[in-house]
Amino acid sequence: MVSRTGPRRSESVRLAVLNAADDLLVEQGFAGTTIEGIATRAGVAKQTIYRWWKSKVDILLDALADDAREALAWREAAGTPGEDLVAHLHRVAGFFEEPAGQVFRALLGHAQLDKEAAAALRAGFLHEQRERDLEGLRVIVRRHSGGEPDEATLVRLTDLLLGPLYYRVLVLGEQAETALLDASAHLVLELAARPAGPA
């Protein structure tokens, strides 16, 4: 059993709970993942979990946020803007195949039926990731075009970049093949280099 005394050990308990929730969701699905099961897998008492989270949805939201900060981070420049953009899209596509991506899918599905869960997902993970995506693409566009994109254009380019990937994976339930990712990156960079038109 994981010790629950002291701030450092409390962090180890938090991570044990998040990892247990990830594992159980992959193994048993959303409906089969319970607070009781998470507590048993993590080696902690249910009371410990309820001190920090009010539901399994809150646990999964925390697990998703932790995992995504690394998995969906935009990396430092390693090639041309186009190469770096395609590489990022491949990381996003790979994320959906990992346990954290399965947690994301499960939470999105549950959010369609639970307004409180939907609000928490949007205010937490989705908001954080949106900010990361906007800033990451801003850097790529700046390198590619030599200019600073206005905010409205950046928002549209971000939607164009990620929309096809999310649609293929989350709506059609298929993998996003390389040709789709390459085409999305190419289109976004082509549009980013064009002079801004009238509002």
Side-chain angles (χ1 to χ4, degrees):
M1 176 176 288
V2 180
S3 173
R4 299 188 297 279
T5 60
R8 181 172 299 176
R9 294 182 187 272
S10 292
E11 175 63 9
S12 72
V13 171
R14 189 184 79 88
L15 293 175
V17 169
L18 299 186
N19 290 334
D22 271 354
D23 292 344
L24 285 174
L25 186 136
V26 171
E27 295 169 13
Q28 302 180 17
F30 183 84
T33 300
T34 64
I35 293 289
E36 292 78 6
I38 294 169
T40 299
R41 178 68 64 92
V44 303
K46 281 198 303 181
Q47 292 86 342
T48 299
I49 292 180
Y50 281 120
R51 276 204 300 268
W52 295 341
W53 299 278
K54 65 180 181 179
S55 69
K56 70 179 181 183
V57 170
D58 289 338
I59 298 172
L60 291 168
L61 285 169
D62 275 3
L64 175 61
D66 273 17
D67 292 338
R69 285 187 190 101
E70 172 60 27
L72 297 179
W74 290 68
R75 306 290 193 258
E76 295 292 330
T80 66
E83 291 167 345
D84 289 346
L85 194 54
V86 169
H88 180 74
L89 288 178
H90 277 282
R91 284 193 294 274
V92 177
F95 168 80
F96 284 111
E97 304 305 314
E98 298 295 324
Q102 295 181 47
V103 170
F104 181 33
R105 294 190 203 205
L107 286 170
L108 277 176
H110 180 68
Q112 306 311 304
L113 305 173
D114 185 326
K115 290 183 179 180
E116 186 176 339
L121 181 60
R122 291 191 183 103
F125 165 72
L126 290 175
H127 175 75
E128 286 185 17
Q129 189 56 43
R130 181 67 164 178
E131 292 302 308
R132 283 192 290 265
D133 289 336
L134 288 169
E135 183 55 30
L137 185 57
R138 187 194 312 277
V139 172
I140 292 280
V141 169
R142 192 183 292 143
R143 289 172 52 208
H144 178 66
S145 67
E148 186 71 24
D150 66 82
E151 200 64 24
T153 297
L154 187 65
V155 166
R156 295 187 194 104
L157 292 176
T158 302
D159 291 345
L160 284 171
L161 179 70
L162 295 168
L165 192 165
Y166 277 56
Y167 179 81
R168 179 65 60 87
V169 173
L170 298 177
V171 177
L172 299 182
E174 301 173 359
Q175 290 187 334
E177 76 275 11
T178 296
L180 174 67
L181 305 182
D182 289 349
S184 298
H186 177 79
L187 174 62
V188 164
L189 290 180
E190 180 182 326
L191 292 173
R194 291 181 183 176

